[in-house]
Amino acid sequence: MKTKFNAAGIIGLGSCVPDKVLTNFDLEKMVDTSDEWIVKRTGISERRILDKSTPASHIGAEAARKAISNAGLTPLDIDMIIVTTETPDYLTPSMACMIQDQIGAGKCPAFDLNAACSGFIYGLVVARQFIITGSCRYVLVVGCEGLSRVVDWEDRSTCILFSDGAGAAVVGAVEEGYGIISTYIGADGSLGHNITIPCCYMNESDVEKRHHENKRVIWLDGGEVFKFAVKALEEATNRVLQDAGLTINDVDLLVPHQANARIIEGAAKRLEIDNESIYVNIHKYGNMSSASIPVALDEAMRNKMIKKGDILVLVGFGGGLTLGSVLLKWNIG
Ligand code: COA
């Protein structure tokens, strides 16, 4: 008989970013932009870029190995792999199947989940269900992105924003009262046209918006996404706080999706939370989509910024448009 668990949480974390750094000064040589403009409007100073011969799944596999080891497990202990990505190396095999093979995780179920930059939040919510129903003991969630491959490097309004990277978490049963306390996920497909990356089909409007010969690149309406993002961070944070019967004053660390420092500042003001309680690493990486939150969380843990019993809110927004949040009572330490 399956054992049902009352509480699920993150029991191990890991991350991996490519070695190659692309600075704002490098971008000055590629498009009509400046370090000053990029820092002032986005907070980004540099980003990480995969070299041409490396599949993004390689950094996902490395992040996964670190998370599994951090949890004190081996790859054969993993019962399910969920990879959150909007930039898979292949549509098939899925990135999850590729990572399963690369880390030697046996024949466990493995699938990709695309909720764009909210992907890691969606992944945690799905993983939690498999733990509390007793279907799985350990679920690996990997946020893995190779956004540099879908960027038009001649479009200054988008190429400054994105980066490659991977972050992973092992989700498992934890002591009651700890781990994932409340969750919220949402989507508004009617706003989907504001961020697009065409794949097997593209409508005329999406063809016209792209000025480069390669049309399979990211396009976004920066202003519209900006407005959505500030409200989404506020709404999704408040939802999980309300469900947990807590207020913003109870939050020890807010880990938001890292898309633009001004989006985070705008949301922080609306939420009335101190800057010291928000984890920001956007200056080093830019926007790594679904990898941003797990990389930030892993850094915060390694920098000893989180201790057992702390209240954390992970909160994201992105293409779809999607949004989501997870409130955790930290169980490691
Ligand atoms: N360097 C210099 N100038 C630039 C530039 C760059 N890299 N990119 C755009 N500009 C110019 C524009 O052409 C515009 O010039 P104009 O006034 O002569 O037309 C001017 O700067 C202002 O552009 P605007 O788009 O209004 O800037 P902004 O302050 O809104 O910042 C973004 C643009 C994209 C940085 C911002 O809207 C943003 O971050 N949005 C969210 C995007 C995002 O993160 N999406 C993914 C979500 S998961």
Side-chain angles (χ1 to χ4, degrees):
M1 202 176 115
K2 289 174 185 169
T3 313
K4 293 188 180 175
F5 296 102
N6 291 324
I10 292 173
I11 59 167
L13 281 168
S15 62
C16 179
V17 295
D19 293 334
K20 187 177 165 194
V21 176
L22 184 75
T23 66
N24 292 349
F25 300 103
D26 297 325
L27 282 168
E28 283 182 359
K29 295 178 202 134
M30 295 161 66
V31 288
D32 181 14
T33 191
S34 66
D35 171 60
E36 193 193 352
W37 193 95
I38 302 172
V39 171
K40 197 167 154 210
R41 300 293 184 111
T42 71
I44 303 168
S45 293
E46 53 188 50
R47 47 208 69 61
R48 298 301 179 103
I49 307 291
L50 281 161
D51 66 59
K52 276 209 171 74
S53 60
T54 307
S57 56
H58 277 199
I59 53 171
E62 188 52 24
R65 284 185 202 100
K66 289 181 182 172
I68 292 167
S69 155
N70 183 241
L73 300 172
T74 74
L76 288 171
D77 294 317
I78 299 300
D79 299 313
M80 175 178 282
I81 300 176
I82 303 171
V83 174
T84 66
T85 185
E86 59 177 327
T87 50
D89 293 325
Y90 292 83
L91 287 179
T92 189
S94 67
M95 191 102 100
C97 287
M98 292 171 82
I99 290 175
Q100 182 211 54
D101 181 45
Q102 288 171 36
I103 65 174
K107 306 280 183 266
C108 66
F111 60 93
D112 287 359
L113 183 164
N114 179 355
C117 305
S118 313
F120 186 74
I121 301 291
Y122 270 65
L124 286 182
V125 173
V126 174
R128 180 201 196 198
Q129 309 304 322
F130 282 97
I131 304 295
I132 58 179
T133 56
S135 303
C136 293
R137 282 191 73 194
Y138 302 115
V139 180
L140 174 69
V141 183
V142 188
C144 181
E145 304 283 1
L147 284 146
S148 64
R149 280 156 188 178
V150 293
V151 161
D152 175 354
W153 289 105
E154 290 172 16
D155 175 7
R156 68 176 182 173
S157 66
T158 51
C159 74
I160 57 161
L161 298 171
F162 298 102
S163 188
D164 303 332
V170 179
V171 179
V174 299
E175 206 180 318
E176 213 171 330
Y178 285 84
I180 298 172
I181 305 292
S182 55
T183 66
Y184 166 69
I185 47 176
D188 183 350
S190 73
L191 300 176
H193 56 275
N194 287 305
I195 312 177
T196 50
I197 309 174
C199 177
C200 302
Y201 165 82
M202 97 190 67
N203 65 31
E204 274 176 31
S205 143
D206 276 319
V207 173
E208 279 163 23
K209 282 170 186 163
R210 289 159 171 84
H211 305 296
H212 195 267
E213 200 184 322
N214 175 14
K215 303 288 183 192
R216 287 185 179 77
V217 289
I218 194 160
W219 179 91
L220 58 88
D221 184 329
E224 284 302 311
V225 177
F226 198 103
K227 280 188 270 172
F228 171 83
V230 174
K231 281 193 228 140
L233 288 184
E234 182 191 21
E235 183 196 336
T237 301
N238 282 333
R239 289 242 189 185
V240 284
L241 283 171
Q242 272 156 20
D243 274 7
L246 299 174
T247 73
I248 199 72
N249 299 324
D250 297 307
V251 176
D252 295 293
L253 195 67
L254 183 83
V255 183
H257 174 49
Q258 314 275 318
N260 185 321
R262 289 191 295 132
I263 291 175
I264 298 173
E265 283 157 20
K269 229 178 242 162
R270 292 166 78 122
L271 284 164
E272 297 184 16
I273 181 170
D274 299 336
N275 286 341
E276 302 80 68
S277 305
I278 306 176
Y279 195 82
V280 179
N281 63 2
I282 192 169
H283 53 289
K284 291 193 287 183
Y285 303 124
N287 182 346
M288 297 184 285
S289 188
S290 74
S292 282
I293 290 175
V295 168
L297 185 59
D298 182 44
E299 275 190 5
M301 186 183 72
R302 281 187 287 114
N303 293 339
K304 306 210 180 315
M305 292 174 66
I306 320 169
K307 57 181 188 316
K308 189 169 178 181
D310 277 356
I311 298 294
L312 269 65
V313 174
L314 317 181
V315 57
F317 58 87
L321 300 180
T322 55
L323 70 167
S325 51
V326 169
L327 186 143
L328 299 134
K329 187 166 181 182
W330 197 244
N331 47 272
I332 302 177

